[in-house]
Amino acid sequence: MRVYLPATISMLRQLVNEGEFMPLNGTAFALTPALRESYTSGSTEELEYVALMDAARASLRLLAAAQEDGGEDAKQPPRRVVVSADVADPALRPDLDHAVVRLSGPLRLDQVAAVHVDTEEAEPAVTAAAAVVDAADLGDEDAEFTLGDVEDHELAWYAPGELPFLLELM
C-alpha cells in the first residue's frame, strides 16, 4: 500500500544517513477504504493527494513541536516534508481519521517511492502555518486562512536517489 509519512528535514537526514526512520507513533496516511467512502467521487489519484495533504498538515505539527521544544528541526529550514513509500499491511486506524494508518516498524529507504518537500519560497508560509495549525484544528477561521496560504504552495517531488543532493543544498 502506498503511504504518506509526515516528516521533517531532520527525519529526512536520518533516513538518508541511517537507511531508515521511525515516524512519530508509526503514523502515516493512505488511501484507505474509509477515506474512499468519505468522498462521493474522486479518482484514486485525487484521493491519494488528499492523503498526501493530510501528511503535509501533520508535518506542520511536527515543525510546531520542534519550534516549541527547540529541537534539531528548529535549526533546519522550515519546510513540510512528506515521504511516499510502499509498505505491506499497515494497520488501518479509522478511529483516528479516515486516512490514518500505523506502521509497525521503521520505514526503510528501499521502501521510499518519492519525497515531497516545500521549496524555499514556501518557508514564510510554513512558519506562519506551523504557528497556528492547532488553532485551525479548533476552528479558528484566521488560522484556517493561514493554512490555506501554505497549501497554495505545491510540494516539490524528489526521487530517493536525489535526497543526498537535496540535503546537501539545505
Side-chain angles (χ1 to χ4, degrees):
M1 172 183 270
R2 175 66 48 97
V3 297
Y4 304 93
L5 296 95
T8 63
I9 298 296
S10 292
M11 290 174 173
L12 204 53
R13 288 186 193 284
Q14 179 184 4
L15 178 63
V16 169
N17 294 335
E18 298 175 16
E20 66 181 27
F21 86 100
M22 184 66 188
L24 186 62
N25 296 323
T27 301
F29 299 83
L31 173 51
T32 64
L35 179 62
R36 187 175 297 282
E37 289 174 15
S38 70
Y39 283 82
T40 58
S41 66
S43 68
T44 296
E45 185 176 304
E46 290 169 326
L47 296 175
E48 285 181 337
Y49 185 75
V50 170
L52 172 78
M53 294 312 295
D54 283 349
R57 186 172 281 203
S59 178
L60 284 173
R61 289 184 185 89
L62 295 173
L63 292 171
Q67 292 300 324
E68 285 180 18
D69 68 16
E72 179 61 30
D73 280 304
K75 301 171 191 162
Q76 300 294 327
R79 299 188 189 181
R80 297 172 296 167
V81 176
V82 177
V83 178
S84 300
D86 295 313
V87 300
D89 301 322
L92 302 178
R93 292 300 309 264
D95 57 313
L96 297 176
D97 198 86
H98 296 303
V100 175
V101 297
R102 288 277 164 85
L103 305 184
S104 60
L107 177 76
R108 298 183 324 272
L109 186 56
D110 65 349
Q111 294 173 294
V112 175
V115 176
H116 311 272
V117 182
D118 275 310
T119 62
E120 185 176 359
E121 293 78 29
E123 288 181 8
V126 170
T127 300
V132 299
V133 67
D134 289 335
D137 287 343
L138 296 173
D140 183 305
E141 290 181 17
D142 289 334
E144 273 294 330
F145 182 75
T146 301
L147 284 183
D149 286 346
V150 78
E151 290 170 355
D152 287 342
H153 292 273
E154 289 292 325
L155 297 167
W157 181 95
Y158 298 92
E162 295 175 304
L163 297 179
F165 304 107
L166 169 68
L167 293 171
E168 184 178 313
L169 294 172
M170 290 191 170

